[in-house]
């Protein structure tokens, strides 16, 4: 369902805008319980726009992470880049595009974050190790920080009151850094949750400089060794991810009022995965860390309160 057309296709009838949004809703619901739940807390025009963006991101991710990933080459990514150009010119190519083209008209956004995400997929194609955290941070910006920038256009900002001529800049402040920070925090969480799964594919996203610092080797990682070196290494990574969540938090109060609850909810639900990793004694090799549905329901009113008062 999420594959690209193999060859340029003759023009075909595409589904209606409504039908396309409905498909995007279904795909979001199927692939991400957390973000889908977050979108249910939004007004409907914003919610469907996020579904359309989600589907484009998911399709991009599937090119290097999905079942057909072994057939993906730099040329495939170039084709996807050309496909993107068409969308920004207002020309949908397949049924899922129809909703995104509509979204881009309602919520104009730059093409750059979309292009940067494709560059992130190039990184996945060419490398399976990251020497330093700086290297990894660039990857995280590209595959996830960019989602923050795309989402910002839909979430919108509340006009900030002007306190005086000296803070004119604040009046038009767009919380880009904070949106990127939330994307990076999510991606770091995702990496910690998926260490075992990624190792099975020969991939290590944890910076090698950090493995060294805690005297933990690649061989240990491939064997799934859980000892004090591993626990300290993971505790360090979790502290770092939490710092990015903290940095993101101050951006939420700048967003439109009707976007604050969904973003707080998505932030708390995804951050909750870190607590589960700790509760599992850092075993990310033999069990998947996820937040159970009753716990998710507990987060929602707390997120609502934060959206009102913070
Ligand atoms: C409710 C809400 C606001 C949602 C935004 C939803 C959205 C557009 C999500 C797209 C996510 C996506 C498919 C990205 C593709 C790359 C990828 C897979 C990234 C990982 C996501 C986790 O997904 P999942 O758990 O399903 O991963 P698996 O494939 O199962 O392994 C990521 C970790 C990145 C997601 C990044 C974000 C959602 C960015 C968040 C930032 C904002 C919404 C900006 C908020 C604004 C301020 C000012 C703080
Ligand atoms: N709330 C839950 N209750 C029971 N099992 C769950 C729950 N969340 C996840 N799982 C299990 O973990 C698998 C995948 O988890 P994952 O967290 O990636 O789900 P997801 O739909 O991608 O949501 P998310 O957006 O949180 O990543 C599910 O197929 C299921 O087996
Ligand atoms: Mn998932």
């Amino acid at each position: 369902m999420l594959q690209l057309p193999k060859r340029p296709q003759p023009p075909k009838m595409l589904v209606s805008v409504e039908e396309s949004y409905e498909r995007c809703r279904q795909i979001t619901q199927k692939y991400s319980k957390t973000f889908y739940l977050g979108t249910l807390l939004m007004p409907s025009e914003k919610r469907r726009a996020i579904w359309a963006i989600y589907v484009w991101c998911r399709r991009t991710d599937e090119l290097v992470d999905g079942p057909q990933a072994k057939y993906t080459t730099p040329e495939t990514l170039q084709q996807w880049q050309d496909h993107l150009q068409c969308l920004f010119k207002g020309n949908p190519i397949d049924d899922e595009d129809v909703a995104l083209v509509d979204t881009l008209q309602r919520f104009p956004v730059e093409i750059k974050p979309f292009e940067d995400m494709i560059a992130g997929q190039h990184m996945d194609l060419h490398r399976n190790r990251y020497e330093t955290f700086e290297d990894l941070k660039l990857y995280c910006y590209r595959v996830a920080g960019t989602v923050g920038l795309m989402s910002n256009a839909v979430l919108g900002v509340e006009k900030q009151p002007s306190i005086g001529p000296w803070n004119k800049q604040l009046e038009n402040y767009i919380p880009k850094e904070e949106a990127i920070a939330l994307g990076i925090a999510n991606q770091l969480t995702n990496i910690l949750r998926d260490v075992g799964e990624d190792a099975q594919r020969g991939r290590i996203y944890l910076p090698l400089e950090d493995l060294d610092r805690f005297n933990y080797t690649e061989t240990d990682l491939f064997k799934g060794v859980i000892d004090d070196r591993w626990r300290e290494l993971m505790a360090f990574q979790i502290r770092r991810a939490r710092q990015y969540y903290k940095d993101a938090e101050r951006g939420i109060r700048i967003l439109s009022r009707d976007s604050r609850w969904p973003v707080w909810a998505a932030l708390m639900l995804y951050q909750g995965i870190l607590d589960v990793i700790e509760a599992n004694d850092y075993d990310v090799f033999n069990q998947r860390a996820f937040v159970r549905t009753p716990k998710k329901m507990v987060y929602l009113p707390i997120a609502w309160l934060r959206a009102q008062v913070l």
Side-chain angles (χ1 to χ4, degrees), residues 31-34 54 58 190 193-194 270 288:
Y31 281 88
S32 178
K33 304 285 170 284
T34 304
Y54 181 88
R58 175 53 65 192
N190 194 268
R193 183 194 67 188
D194 294 345
Y270 221 77
R288 185 177 174 94

Side-chain angles (χ1 to χ4, degrees), residues 133 137 181-182 184-185 188 240-248:
F133 179 64
K137 203 167 97 181
L182 185 51
I184 294 178
L188 291 174
R240 182 188 270 153
R242 285 193 176 127
Q243 184 58 52
Y244 278 94
Y245 283 109
K246 263 263 147 299
D247 294 345

Side-chain angles (χ1 to χ4, degrees), residues 111-127:
I111 194 170
K112 178 85 169 45
F114 292 82
E115 292 176 336
D116 286 349
M117 183 179 278
I118 297 177
Q121 309 307 328
H122 269 287
M123 288 172 89
D124 256 337
L125 214 52
H126 295 298
R127 59 194 294 182

Side-chain angles (χ1 to χ4, degrees), residues 68-281:
Q68 303 289 316
K70 54 179 176 298
Y71 305 114
T72 297
T73 61
E75 290 68 42
T76 321
L77 294 181
Q78 184 54 50
Q79 270 180 35
W80 190 233
Q81 167 76 34
D82 298 342
H83 188 129
L84 176 69
Q85 299 279 355
C86 289
L87 303 186
F88 270 76
K89 287 184 187 138
N91 302 321
I93 294 168
D94 56 35
D95 290 337
E96 284 78 23
D97 294 338
V98 173
L100 184 59
V101 167
D102 182 71
T103 288
L104 294 173
Q105 280 157 7
R106 287 170 194 265
F107 301 99
V109 53
E110 290 171 8
I111 194 170
K112 178 85 169 45
F114 292 82
E115 292 176 336
D116 286 349
M117 183 179 278
I118 297 177
Q121 309 307 328
H122 269 287
M123 288 172 89
D124 256 337
L125 214 52
H126 295 298
R127 59 194 294 182
N128 52 24
R129 297 285 188 284
Y130 292 83
E131 260 328 304
T132 66
F133 179 64
E134 278 310 303
D135 294 345
L136 181 67
K137 203 167 97 181
L138 176 64
Y139 171 75
C140 291
Y141 160 72
R142 287 181 170 169
V143 300
T146 51
V147 183
L149 296 177
M150 297 169 197
S151 307
N152 256 359
V154 174
L155 300 170
V157 292
E158 194 74 25
K159 195 156 170 35
Q160 304 301 311
S162 167
I163 307 172
W166 58 89
N167 75 348
K168 272 270 171 253
Q169 281 160 309
L170 254 187
E171 244 183 296
N172 301 314
Y173 186 74
I174 310 281
K176 287 190 183 179
E177 287 309 317
E178 294 83 350
I180 292 173
L182 185 51
I184 294 178
N186 285 347
Q187 188 62 34
L188 291 174
T189 304
N190 194 268
I191 286 172
L192 298 179
R193 183 194 67 188
D194 294 345
V195 166
E197 211 176 279
D198 289 330
Q200 281 171 14
R201 299 185 302 152
R203 291 184 168 277
I204 301 179
Y205 288 100
L206 297 179
L208 299 182
E209 65 178 9
D210 293 342
L211 264 65
D212 272 354
R213 177 162 356 149
F214 290 92
N215 212 5
Y216 190 85
T217 66
E218 289 193 23
T219 317
D220 291 328
L221 193 140
F222 286 124
K223 283 194 202 147
V225 175
I226 300 172
D227 58 12
D228 284 345
R229 293 169 305 154
W230 175 250
R231 292 188 187 94
E232 281 167 30
L233 168 60
M234 285 296 279
F236 174 76
Q237 305 296 326
I238 289 176
R239 277 199 299 281
R240 182 188 270 153
R242 285 193 176 127
Q243 184 58 52
Y244 278 94
Y245 283 109
K246 263 263 147 299
D247 294 345
E249 285 179 5
R250 63 172 179 265
I252 305 181
R253 72 175 82 107
I254 318 252
L255 296 174
S256 306
R257 287 189 188 285
D258 59 10
S259 293
R260 294 178 196 165
W261 184 24
V263 174
W264 265 113
L267 182 151
M268 292 178 67
L269 292 170
Y270 221 77
Q271 186 171 17
I273 296 173
L274 298 176
D275 304 339
V276 177
I277 294 176
E278 287 172 336
N280 291 347
D281 195 25

